[in-house]
Amino acid sequence: MELLIKKKLIIWLVNSINLILAFLIGLLISSNIVINFLYFGYSIILILLIISYFTFELLRREHNRLIPRKRVYIWIFFSINLLFSLSIGLTIPILKSESRYNFGIVMIPLLVILNYIIADRLNFYLKHINDGGKIDEG
């Protein structure tokens, strides 16, 4: 398997695991079971954001020509997905429906698919750079 595809899958897998962890942390924070988990949970979310950033920066060592603005945009998209997953976990206990957990069952796989699309876009940028092409900076 090509090295860029392996890296794309690793970045997608790490960010998808982070999404699921953020969702579960949101559930724990919003439930009344673990009240002292509030600050600890938010610090874990910060750690997940840092892990997401460092897995993304692994590519920077080999591909320095990737436009910094594009790197920041892609990391921001991953971070927004992570925070959206946290907000889904936080709002599920507030929902009034009897099937309120269906919201998470539907939305989390959609966010995982969106993570794959973002990782694929990153792979496109890196492959285009390796082929010698120039990507516009817009």
Side-chain angles (χ1 to χ4, degrees):
M1 192 183 294
E2 191 178 319
L3 184 62
L4 281 177
I5 294 174
K6 286 181 184 177
K7 287 186 178 186
K8 174 180 79 169
L9 291 177
I10 288 171
I11 287 174
W12 172 70
L13 184 66
V14 168
N15 284 312
S16 297
I17 291 171
N18 284 348
L19 278 177
I20 294 168
L21 287 176
F23 172 71
L24 294 175
I25 288 169
L27 280 176
L28 286 175
I29 289 173
S30 63
S31 68
N32 293 330
I33 298 171
V34 185
I35 295 177
N36 293 332
F37 193 69
L38 182 66
Y39 297 114
F40 182 66
Y42 288 133
S43 63
I44 290 176
I45 293 299
L46 183 63
I47 290 171
L48 290 178
L49 283 170
I50 291 170
I51 289 172
S52 173
Y53 178 75
F54 282 125
T55 57
F56 182 66
E57 283 298 313
L58 287 176
L59 294 173
R60 187 178 65 86
R61 294 181 187 161
E62 295 180 15
H63 307 284
N64 283 334
R65 293 175 37 202
L66 183 60
I67 301 165
R69 189 166 57 176
K70 293 208 182 286
R71 282 191 318 203
V72 170
Y73 285 155
I74 290 174
W75 182 73
I76 285 173
F77 290 143
F78 280 131
S79 301
I80 288 172
N81 280 347
L82 185 72
L83 295 175
F84 187 62
S85 176
L86 174 70
S87 68
I88 290 171
L90 286 173
T91 58
I92 280 182
I94 300 171
L95 296 175
K96 300 292 182 188
S97 174
E98 291 182 20
S99 59
R100 61 182 171 213
Y101 290 102
N102 289 345
F103 181 60
I105 291 171
V106 170
M107 290 303 291
I108 297 303
L110 289 176
L111 287 176
V112 169
I113 291 170
L114 186 59
N115 260 352
Y116 182 76
I117 292 170
I118 294 169
D120 192 44
R121 179 49 107 180
L122 172 66
N123 187 36
F124 169 76
Y125 288 148
L126 293 176
K127 189 181 285 187
H128 200 314
I129 287 173
N130 285 344
D131 291 342
K134 182 172 182 347
I135 305 171
D136 63 352
E137 293 190 16

